[in-house]
Amino acid sequence: MTTSFPDDFLWGCATAAYQIEGSPLADGAGASIWQRFSHDPRLMAAKGETGDIACDHYHRMADDVAMMKEMGLKAYRFSAAWGRVLPDGIGRVNEAGLGFYERLVDTLLANGIEPLCTLYHWDLPAALDDKGGWLNRDSAEWFAEYGRTMFERLDGRVKKWVTLNEPWVITDGGYLHGALAPGHKNVFEAPIASRNLMRAHGAAVKAYREVGKHEIGLVVNLEPKYAASESPDDKAATARATAYMNRQYLDPAIHGKCPAELAEVFGEAWVDWSAEDLALAKQKIDFVGVNYYTRNVTRADPTNWPLAANMVRQPLATYTTTDWEVFPRGLTDVLLWVKDNYGDPAIYITENGAAFFDPPVAEQGRIEDPLRVSYLRHHIAAVGKAIEQGADVRGYMLWSLLDNLEWSLGYSKRFGIVHVNFGTQERTLKDSAKFYREVIATNGACLS
Ligand code: BGC
């Protein structure tokens, strides 16, 4: 049977270090900003829920990889915890921490699973935060040093690298609204953090070209914005929201410039980028990683600072437990938007999935999660549609392999296709995992 998916399409799952590993300080690792944030009840929304144990993946890695193999995964996107590798963020390398990622990569390869390694999924070493974190211009060199350490040890065994996961969330959540680590609420900081993140991205790609021989890219979260009406105000709000979330990082990385709307959004807090900063951010990347969860129907709203735009709820739509509208067509639209606006790059879906309330594990070990199965079915089909219309999509990394720590929201938001009992650490494949196994085995043909 023919499908829209190329024969070598990379079917996988994604996770992130702090969300699953547990033992964040083991074997000489340095604390991260998430270690601090999750232990601070003034900051953490789900008070008392931390990454101390999480899915205990740090100790159960081999069993987890065996489970991935049983599910037929062809790829696995994980992130490395910077502070395991460099406890102070720079300088001394911690062999034991680096060794964990070497073992993970070797175990994946031994099981025929391709590793995709993300360098930064939000867990900045606390020692670097003490120096100003992403507000310090030196962060570009710090990140390049960490990248180089990883590339020198693992390039070749790892052939696909990601610099940053979702710089928009890092700045919007971490520096503007304070819902994520390091928990700052400061409009003047957000544009500075953004610029340094992209300088760091560029510096790491440059380091990769000196050391590495394979592929490196950037992961952005994209949420297509649809104007709620034809009114000029709603259309302008939609353009602002698109610039703020979807273009803020891709434009500098690929076109070497910043969207003009950002100055309007940030007002006097906006900082212009120098020609050198823009040149550093714009490095040739080998792929764009797209994380897609939902869309946004946008209307003008002067009371919603600083964007002056807001989302219109859809009364007839299904919403996930993170309150995101289920809208598969948005994934097709956004993939074609990337193709049309950024020079038809190679694309990997680096995250897509949904949190729903799952029933308890039935006696015979079954977990029925029909809403997640339906979400996946329609979103994967939406990827197929984008491929049929010419988008160069090469892989799909489902978020997530395991139920895990949903950052400040804790353990109640379950995104996994594998259920985790956080008391016993028992793993149980949900129906969605079995469905995904079938998708992989048929290269998507079972969807039609
Ligand atoms: C992040 C993940 C997160 C997921 C669901 C993405 O923004 O990369 O770490 O768990 O979305 O919220």
Side-chain angles (χ1 to χ4, degrees):
M1 216 189 297
T2 57
T3 79
S4 329
F5 300 95
D7 287 344
D8 56 355
F9 194 77
L10 217 48
W11 299 102
C13 281
T15 64
Y18 192 74
Q19 294 182 273
I20 66 161
E21 287 177 354
S23 308
L25 303 180
D27 301 326
S32 73
I33 53 174
W34 269 97
Q35 170 76 14
R36 285 183 175 168
F37 187 97
S38 67
H39 283 263
D40 188 336
R42 292 166 304 175
L43 296 172
M44 187 72 181
K47 299 187 194 327
E49 299 188 25
T50 72
D52 288 3
I53 300 174
C55 306
D56 196 28
H57 173 73
Y58 192 70
H59 296 117
R60 293 165 196 265
M61 178 271 283
D63 289 346
D64 286 341
V65 174
M67 189 178 67
M68 294 180 213
K69 184 176 185 185
E70 192 194 309
M71 288 164 53
L73 298 194
K74 296 189 188 311
Y76 174 57
R77 172 179 177 238
F78 66 95
S79 80
W82 186 340
R84 287 201 197 278
V85 179
L86 294 153
D88 305 315
I90 46 177
R92 186 175 50 90
V93 173
N94 177 32
E95 277 301 325
L98 191 46
F100 172 71
Y101 297 110
E102 279 200 280
R103 283 200 306 284
L104 168 61
V105 166
D106 290 345
T107 309
L108 289 166
L109 292 173
N111 284 281
I113 300 170
E114 172 162 9
L116 276 74
C117 177
T118 302
L119 292 176
Y120 187 71
H121 202 124
W122 308 355
D123 43 2
L124 188 74
L128 296 181
D129 197 48
D130 291 341
K131 298 184 204 291
W134 293 114
L135 301 173
N136 187 328
R137 280 182 72 79
D138 293 345
S139 51
E141 286 88 68
W142 303 336
F143 188 57
E145 177 182 332
Y146 161 51
R148 186 181 292 272
T149 310
M150 295 292 287
F151 306 146
E152 279 172 351
R153 186 65 63 91
L154 285 169
D155 191 58
R157 285 183 278 175
V158 173
K159 295 185 175 153
K160 292 181 179 56
W161 296 90
V162 168
T163 55
L164 304 172
N165 180 70
E166 301 187 346
W168 181 82
V169 177
I170 299 170
T171 52
D172 183 82
Y175 290 89
L176 181 60
H177 294 301
L180 302 173
H184 298 194
K185 296 180 186 171
N186 188 325
V187 70
F188 288 93
E189 290 184 358
I192 295 172
S194 285
R195 188 177 51 179
N196 285 333
L197 281 161
M198 293 317 290
R199 292 176 58 250
H201 157 78
V205 175
K206 274 177 93 168
Y208 187 68
R209 296 303 173 209
E210 288 162 21
V211 181
K213 295 191 174 51
H214 302 277
E215 296 178 15
I216 191 160
L218 171 71
V219 165
V220 286
N221 55 299
L222 300 179
E223 200 179 277
K225 314 286 179 185
Y226 303 87
S229 80
E230 289 298 308
S231 82
D233 282 356
D234 285 350
K235 283 183 162 173
T238 306
R240 274 197 308 281
T242 300
Y244 178 55
M245 191 191 258
N246 298 338
R247 295 174 50 209
Q248 185 168 184
Y249 305 92
L250 282 180
D251 277 21
I254 295 180
H255 298 317
K257 55 184 189 199
C258 294
E261 291 87 346
L262 293 180
E264 197 188 327
V265 172
F266 285 106
E268 61 171 335
W270 176 247
V271 285
D272 279 322
W273 297 31
S274 69
E276 292 95 289
D277 290 345
L278 288 168
L280 180 54
K282 185 188 171 192
Q283 301 295 324
K284 183 190 164 303
I285 51 175
D286 302 301
F287 60 88
V288 173
V290 173
N291 293 354
Y292 175 81
Y293 289 95
T294 189
R295 68 148 167 189
N296 188 305
V297 177
T298 311
R299 66 179 166 84
D301 177 0
T303 66
N304 191 26
W305 175 89
L307 202 53
N310 222 330
M311 190 181 77
V312 179
R313 271 189 91 79
Q314 302 302 302
L316 299 179
T318 304
Y319 281 79
T320 70
T321 55
T322 45
D323 211 19
W324 295 340
E325 183 195 347
V326 176
F327 191 71
R329 201 194 85 209
L331 181 50
T332 311
D333 290 353
V334 93
L335 291 169
L336 295 171
W337 179 82
V338 170
K339 168 182 155 56
D340 293 343
N341 288 282
Y342 296 101
D344 193 9
I347 301 174
Y348 290 90
I349 312 294
T350 34
E351 287 180 29
N352 175 241
F356 288 111
F357 291 115
D358 297 324
V361 185
E363 260 171 42
Q364 60 279 39
R366 182 165 173 207
I367 299 187
E368 295 179 60
D369 59 341
L371 290 174
R372 189 174 292 99
V373 170
S374 166
Y375 182 101
L376 295 173
R377 175 188 297 285
H378 291 102
H379 283 78
I380 295 170
V383 176
K385 284 191 187 133
I387 294 173
E388 283 159 22
Q389 291 172 64
D392 184 6
V393 187
R394 300 185 180 180
Y396 175 90
M397 305 296 129
L398 191 160
W399 187 271
S400 184
L401 177 70
L402 302 167
D403 291 334
N404 59 48
L405 179 81
E406 178 53 20
W407 303 110
S408 53
L409 303 180
Y411 290 99
S412 63
K413 308 293 179 203
R414 290 180 176 269
F415 276 89
I417 55 174
V418 175
H419 177 271
V420 177
N421 176 324
F422 291 107
T424 62
Q425 291 295 340
E426 194 183 345
R427 275 79 161 132
T428 307
L429 266 53
K430 302 180 191 177
D431 280 2
S432 53
K434 297 171 189 164
F435 165 76
Y436 193 43
R437 179 162 60 195
E438 181 72 6
V439 170
I440 299 172
T442 62
N443 201 33
C446 71
L447 295 169
S448 46

